[in-house]
Amino acid sequence: ENHFITHLESMYDKRMDEVSASPGASHFCLQEVFGPYIPILVPWTDHYVNRQLLSVNLHVPDVRRLWPLLQRKMRPNVPYILLVQNAQGLKATVVNLNMAAMPNVLVLSAGGYGHVPVPLLKQAEDALVTHSSSTQATAPPPAYGLPSEVPRPLRKHPTNRTFVATYVGGDTNAPAMMRENLIKGLQALDEDPMANAINKSKLRIFSYYKGHAWREFMARSCFSLCPRGFGRTSYHFMEALQMGLIPIHVYRDVPWVPYLDFMQREQLAIAVRYDEVENLMRNVLLTSLSSTSTSSSSSQHDSWTLANIEETEQRILSYRESHFSFEGALNHIHAFMVDTGKSDLQCQRLPDSALG
């Protein structure tokens, strides 16, 4: 949210400076910066977190009182746009909000409840070091309490990795114990004789890990499972893409994937319902990974051979800055506002509930 606000403010200031520096120019059209929308620039999540952490006796602004004031000023025939990171969208800060009753308010949502999925980003993750690169390069990860310099994991060829798929992260937060059940189901699959009979790749089927060495664990896997958390997505999805790895987004009701059509067209990620994960692993990934085919087929089954995974990862890396970085995401958001045809972001139907 703060990046979004700062980005639009800087674009507005830049355009103002350009007009001021042009002889004879006295103004410019706001549509050049904001498109047809009036942006509502509020750090919703900051206000939400502050209200949760600080005593109500302190003079902390209550954003819940802001929305009724805004609504009284908003015109029904004018389109508005805002960005919310919170998993519950505006409902986290606005009591008794009926999103369906606001057809002129477009919500860009990083957390999973709105009209346009946008990347959920926390910290920038470095791409894995390739086997031809120096392994001395380091990536500072202060958010995880690690030493100031940590060796970046080495990117090995898929045939030299340890696992078909891994999940690194918390085993709670998702509704109906989804993460816990997912981990148990895949651990059982890893020990299933029939599944291992299908698996000719010599890689272990699955492993779960939670700890400081999660980046290195991901580097040893062909696919990174990214199950949804409290909201419809997780930070881990974008972390995997920034590292140049193939994420598997696991959802319950609707997938919440930024650039969904683009991602599917370029085959950069997999989205699967939680109750279809075992089928995906057993009948798609294990079967195709065991194939010796090197053809570039458009079908999902043929595209996940060991021979093609490295090519897919290089394709992910080619879009790292343009789509999966803070700057890339903000550029796509701005392009969506001004000319949707120049952005890979897209609208989708408002989910039936905030959390799903």
Side-chain angles (χ1 to χ4, degrees):
E1 294 165 8
N2 293 303
H3 287 280
F4 172 67
I5 294 169
T6 302
H7 187 71
L8 289 187
E9 286 177 342
S10 65
M11 296 197 74
Y12 175 83
D13 291 342
K14 179 182 177 182
R15 191 69 187 94
M16 284 290 290
D17 291 342
E18 290 172 349
V19 170
S20 299
S22 300
S26 59
H27 68 280
F28 72 95
C29 181
L30 288 175
Q31 193 167 359
E32 297 175 30
V33 179
F34 305 132
Y37 304 99
I38 292 180
I40 301 175
L41 305 178
V42 176
W44 306 100
T45 302
D46 283 353
H47 285 291
Y48 174 81
V49 171
N50 288 338
R51 291 296 302 178
Q52 300 297 311
L53 297 180
L54 300 178
S55 168
V56 293
N57 295 324
L58 299 178
H59 296 290
V60 179
D62 190 347
V63 75
R64 292 173 297 182
R65 300 174 183 173
L66 174 62
W67 190 253
L69 297 175
L70 282 172
Q71 280 194 302
R72 286 200 285 271
K73 299 293 183 180
M74 292 163 64
R75 291 169 285 171
N77 59 340
V78 173
Y80 298 87
I81 191 168
L82 56 90
L83 187 147
V84 184
Q85 178 182 327
N86 195 292
Q88 300 176 77
L90 279 179
K91 281 183 173 263
T93 49
V94 182
V95 180
N96 298 323
L97 178 70
N98 182 4
M99 291 280 291
M102 304 186 303
N104 61 324
V105 178
L106 189 71
V107 177
L108 309 170
S109 172
Y113 187 60
H115 308 99
V116 182
V118 298
L120 179 64
L121 297 162
K122 184 166 52 177
Q123 74 280 338
E125 289 295 331
D126 288 339
L128 296 180
V129 179
T130 61
H131 29 276
S132 59
S133 303
S134 168
T135 58
Q136 300 304 310
T138 59
Y144 291 87
L146 300 181
S148 59
E149 291 191 351
V150 177
R152 288 165 58 187
L154 183 68
R155 179 190 300 279
K156 296 181 179 180
H157 190 277
T159 55
N160 297 323
R161 297 181 193 177
T162 310
F163 309 105
V164 173
T166 55
Y167 170 52
V168 300
D171 57 354
T172 57
N173 294 336
M177 299 179 65
M178 191 195 86
R179 287 185 176 181
E180 298 98 312
N181 293 334
L182 177 70
I183 293 167
K184 290 178 182 177
L186 290 176
Q187 287 173 333
L189 184 70
D190 183 57
E191 299 175 357
D192 184 348
M194 294 184 65
N196 280 284
I198 298 171
N199 181 21
K200 308 296 183 185
S201 67
K202 298 183 180 180
L203 305 180
R204 268 193 59 187
I205 295 174
F206 172 77
S207 188
Y208 168 65
Y209 174 82
K210 183 179 181 180
H212 286 321
W214 59 272
R215 295 173 179 85
E216 194 249 333
F217 214 78
M218 289 173 65
R220 297 164 58 195
S221 177
C222 293
F223 300 92
S224 296
L225 281 159
C226 305
R228 62 157 291 169
F230 181 68
R232 286 186 171 84
T233 186
S234 67
Y235 289 113
H236 193 44
F237 183 77
M238 298 306 298
E239 289 169 347
L241 289 166
Q242 288 182 338
M243 293 170 69
L245 297 171
I246 303 169
I248 300 177
H249 170 59
V250 183
Y251 64 92
R252 275 177 55 85
D253 56 348
V254 293
W256 202 259
V257 178
Y259 322 115
L260 182 59
D261 285 353
F262 167 80
M263 300 281 273
Q264 291 178 334
R265 185 173 65 250
E266 295 293 313
Q267 201 162 21
L268 306 180
I270 300 172
V272 59
R273 269 179 57 97
Y274 72 99
D275 54 358
E276 289 292 331
V277 173
E278 182 178 339
N279 178 62
L280 171 74
M281 292 289 293
R282 186 188 297 271
N283 298 322
V284 178
L285 299 187
L286 293 183
T287 304
S288 57
L289 285 173
S290 301
S291 171
T292 57
S293 171
T294 58
S295 63
S296 297
S297 170
S298 59
S299 70
Q300 186 182 53
H301 176 93
D302 291 336
S303 295
W304 299 124
T305 61
L306 283 170
N308 291 341
I309 285 177
E310 188 172 39
E311 179 184 337
T312 301
E313 291 178 345
Q314 291 303 315
R315 199 159 58 248
I316 290 171
L317 287 174
S318 72
Y319 294 116
R320 183 178 183 276
E321 297 304 320
S322 63
H323 288 71
F324 311 136
S325 66
F326 278 103
E327 183 178 358
L330 291 168
N331 287 337
H332 275 278
I333 289 172
H334 182 250
F336 179 88
M337 293 172 62
V338 176
D339 183 355
T340 55
K342 295 181 179 179
S343 172
D344 287 318
L345 295 172
Q346 62 191 82
C347 286
Q348 65 183 56
R349 181 178 175 272
L350 179 72
D352 292 333
S353 64
L355 294 176

